Amino acid sequence: MKPGQGATGGAQVKGLRARLQNFSIVSLRDLVVASGPTILLVGAALLLAYWWVDPAPPRSLRLATGQENSAYETFGKQYAAVLARDEIKVTLAPTLGSRDNLQRLLAGEADVAFVQSGSTDGDTMNADAEGSAERRDLVSLGSLFTEPVWLFLRAEANITKLTDLRGKRINLGPEGTGVPRLLRQVLDANGIAPQDLRIGDLADTPATVELLAGRIDGLVFSSAPEAPLIQMLLQTPGIKLFDFAQAEAYTRRLPFLTHVVLPRGIVDLGRNIPAQDYHLIAPTATLVAREEIHPALVGLLVKAATEIHGGAGWFQQQGQFPSPKYTEIPVAAEAARYYRDGPPFMQRYLSFWLANLAERLWVVVVALTALLIPLSKIVPPIYVWRVRSRVYRWYGELRAIEQAFEDSGAAPDDKVRNDLQRRLDSLEDRVNHISVPLAYADELYRLRSHIHLVRERVRGWQQEGTASDASHDATPGHPVRGSA
């Protein structure tokens, strides 16, 4: 083997492989070009649907909570932490409490809020508001937990029944908490007028300071037991909890209340705190939202509520809350569906945002599938036409050469013959550089055979012309070319 011969052979093999590979690439390119209009149409439809079919849920939420050191504040922080995992920023808005939260919802200053049962009755609405909460565009996302009425008293006050509160200094909290109205209903059921008490309106923390200092005789909270102030007062010597012995009767008179029992020793089993069972009356805390809240956020909030409130507690069993029950505001359709069927199918396996995108676009996908069925019948013929047109377009030039051959007549002409040969050579050279998918190689070879056929006709014509010239030169009276 001569030096360099092996390298040359290797280069030829590589060139052949590259050319065969190029055939396949051309096939893929033609397929993409043929299906391009369909791909663009589908992409444009999906993009349009992304923006218009159902707007994406907002990435921020305003949650009205409650006073400092309240259960509402504690739970609000937990909601913010849970929703942050799904990239939802929760802005916590401290408020006076349930009634303040309700009015912020009605004013559009909050998207979601904790609202106590009983707060939406009658005069809790603005003075100019008439009708029930559902006519004010509010929906419930479910009840979350019971909020017992905690009436803490100084032990020396010696109060055993509510009628003993006459003349005592009792703090009910600001009007925005909802507690003043609630206790007024309880006092009214006992025949006690509000003016019979020396009522204070301090917030929870300063009222606790006043109670511990002995400047007031008692204070009222309505809160979950997780509130830090509740936990502290239950263990403070000299402070006792009022026992609503007639709790069951209160639930008959005030339907939004439930009867709950604080079990003996639940606070501290070792120290037996409390030393007895306490009967309490309790409204229910509800998660309330404006009606226009995005449906996807409803499911996400109910999911968070299940994680935060779904366990067993002092006054509830495992899985009792959250619940579509115990709420006087109509439950949102998405929330009711979540309680009935669980989380949406997509959200069980995908992240919130990816599942939401899939749920928003599924209607469009179904419509596009129906559209793609007829479009899929158009793409293959377009693809075949593109590939074959690469070969067929040369037949026009080949036919023009053949027509020039036929129009030249029987008289041989060197100039015409040479011109036809040159055009055929040029055509064949260009055809040899055509790349087509291997499945359509027969079309290319058929063209090349047709070029060869026309070339043979021209050559036959040339041979006939040459023979005619020789015969003419050999006739009598005409010397033969090349003779002396």
Side-chain angles (χ1 to χ4, degrees):
M1 180 181 296
K2 296 180 181 180
Q5 186 174 356
T8 303
Q12 291 176 347
V13 172
K14 290 182 179 179
L16 179 60
R17 288 179 180 173
R19 191 160 186 178
L20 290 175
Q21 184 179 7
N22 187 50
F23 291 153
S24 298
I25 294 175
V26 170
S27 175
L28 179 60
R29 184 178 64 200
D30 285 330
L31 180 61
V32 171
V33 173
S35 58
T38 300
I39 294 174
L40 291 176
L41 179 63
V42 171
L46 289 175
L47 184 63
L48 183 64
Y50 179 82
W51 292 107
W52 295 102
V53 169
D54 189 5
R59 291 183 175 269
S60 61
L61 198 65
R62 297 170 298 173
L63 173 61
T65 56
Q67 298 182 53
E68 183 182 4
N69 294 321
S70 68
Y72 286 175
E73 181 192 50
T74 301
F75 286 131
K77 293 177 180 178
Q78 295 181 29
Y79 275 88
V82 172
L83 268 64
R85 298 202 298 257
D86 289 305
E87 301 179 14
I88 302 294
K89 179 182 178 182
V90 178
T91 302
L92 302 179
T95 65
L96 294 175
S98 177
R99 190 173 181 184
D100 189 12
N101 289 352
L102 182 63
Q103 295 188 356
R104 290 196 184 206
L105 283 172
L106 297 176
E109 298 174 1
D111 303 307
V112 187
F114 299 112
V115 175
Q116 190 179 83
S117 62
S119 298
T120 57
D121 290 341
D123 62 349
T124 58
M125 295 295 178
N126 292 334
D128 58 344
E130 295 182 359
S132 57
E134 57 265 33
R135 292 204 295 269
R136 298 303 306 270
D137 302 326
L138 299 180
V139 291
S140 169
L141 306 187
S143 54
L144 306 178
F145 52 89
T146 54
E147 293 188 283
V149 175
W150 307 88
L151 175 54
F152 288 103
L153 302 164
R154 294 191 61 81
E156 62 266 23
N158 195 27
I159 296 174
T160 58
K161 55 185 182 297
L162 288 182
T163 54
D164 294 336
L165 293 176
R166 288 189 173 94
K168 300 296 183 181
R169 297 164 297 177
I170 305 297
N171 189 82
L172 303 186
E175 286 294 329
T177 63
V179 173
R181 180 178 180 275
L182 172 62
L183 198 66
R184 287 192 193 102
Q185 292 176 284
V186 172
L187 293 175
D188 182 66
N190 286 271
I192 304 173
Q195 55 268 27
D196 293 339
L197 280 68
R198 297 160 62 185
I199 295 176
D201 59 0
L202 296 174
D204 292 348
T205 300
T208 302
V209 173
E210 294 294 298
L211 178 67
L212 296 177
R215 289 188 284 270
I216 60 175
D217 300 305
L219 56 78
V220 181
F221 294 150
S222 180
S223 175
E226 287 83 358
L229 293 178
I230 302 290
Q231 295 282 334
M232 185 266 291
L233 289 174
L234 285 173
Q235 304 180 63
T236 301
I239 302 297
K240 75 171 196 174
L241 178 65
F242 182 80
D243 182 24
F244 286 85
Q246 300 170 306
E248 196 62 34
Y250 283 109
T251 63
R252 302 294 195 274
R253 298 285 296 272
L254 303 171
F256 60 87
L257 295 177
T258 57
H259 174 199
V260 296
V261 177
L262 182 68
R264 173 183 175 182
I266 188 66
V267 178
D268 191 322
L269 287 170
R271 293 185 293 164
N272 193 31
I273 300 175
Q276 67 177 68
D277 290 346
Y278 281 90
H279 298 270
L280 305 175
I281 54 175
T284 304
T286 305
L287 193 61
V288 179
R290 294 182 61 81
E291 191 176 34
E292 64 265 23
I293 187 173
H294 196 285
L297 291 183
V298 171
L300 200 60
L301 284 164
V302 176
K303 178 182 176 182
T306 303
E307 179 177 341
I308 296 170
H309 308 289
W314 286 10
F315 304 109
Q316 66 193 53
Q317 298 177 350
Q318 179 81 24
Q320 181 179 353
F321 291 103
S323 170
K325 303 176 182 178
Y326 320 117
T327 173
E328 56 209 9
I329 299 176
V331 178
E334 288 293 328
R337 189 177 300 113
Y338 191 102
Y339 287 118
R340 184 181 65 247
D341 305 325
F345 178 78
M346 292 290 185
Q347 292 187 24
R348 298 176 189 178
Y349 307 100
L350 303 175
S351 66
F352 169 72
W353 290 103
L354 189 58
N356 176 257
L357 178 62
E359 290 167 359
R360 289 167 56 208
L361 296 183
W362 74 267
V363 175
V364 180
V365 171
V366 171
L368 288 177
T369 301
L371 180 63
L372 285 174
I373 292 176
L375 288 178
S376 63
K377 298 180 179 179
I378 299 175
V379 171
I382 294 177
Y383 171 76
V384 172
W385 173 82
R386 273 192 55 83
V387 173
R388 289 184 172 176
S389 67
R390 213 178 277 144
V391 175
Y392 290 163
R393 67 191 183 92
W394 297 107
Y395 274 99
E397 187 170 345
L398 180 61
R399 185 69 187 95
I401 295 174
E402 190 177 28
Q403 188 65 46
F405 163 74
E406 293 174 354
D407 292 344
S408 297
D413 187 298
D414 288 340
K415 183 178 180 181
V416 173
R417 289 195 296 265
N418 292 335
D419 181 63
L420 292 177
Q421 285 289 1
R422 181 185 56 77
R423 292 172 63 183
L424 284 169
D425 291 342
S426 175
L427 175 59
E428 186 172 32
D429 181 65
R430 284 176 287 173
V431 167
N432 287 337
H433 288 84
I434 296 176
S435 295
V436 295
L438 295 177
Y440 297 89
D442 58 331
E443 307 284 351
L444 179 60
Y445 285 107
R446 189 177 296 113
L447 172 59
R448 293 171 65 178
S449 66
H450 290 162
I451 293 174
H452 179 70
L453 178 62
V454 174
R455 186 190 300 281
E456 289 300 315
R457 291 186 62 187
V458 173
R459 284 178 179 172
W461 185 35
Q462 286 179 324
Q463 292 173 0
E464 290 177 3
T466 302
S468 175
D469 290 342
S471 174
H472 179 72
D473 291 341
T475 55
H478 295 279
V480 180
R481 291 177 184 176
S483 61

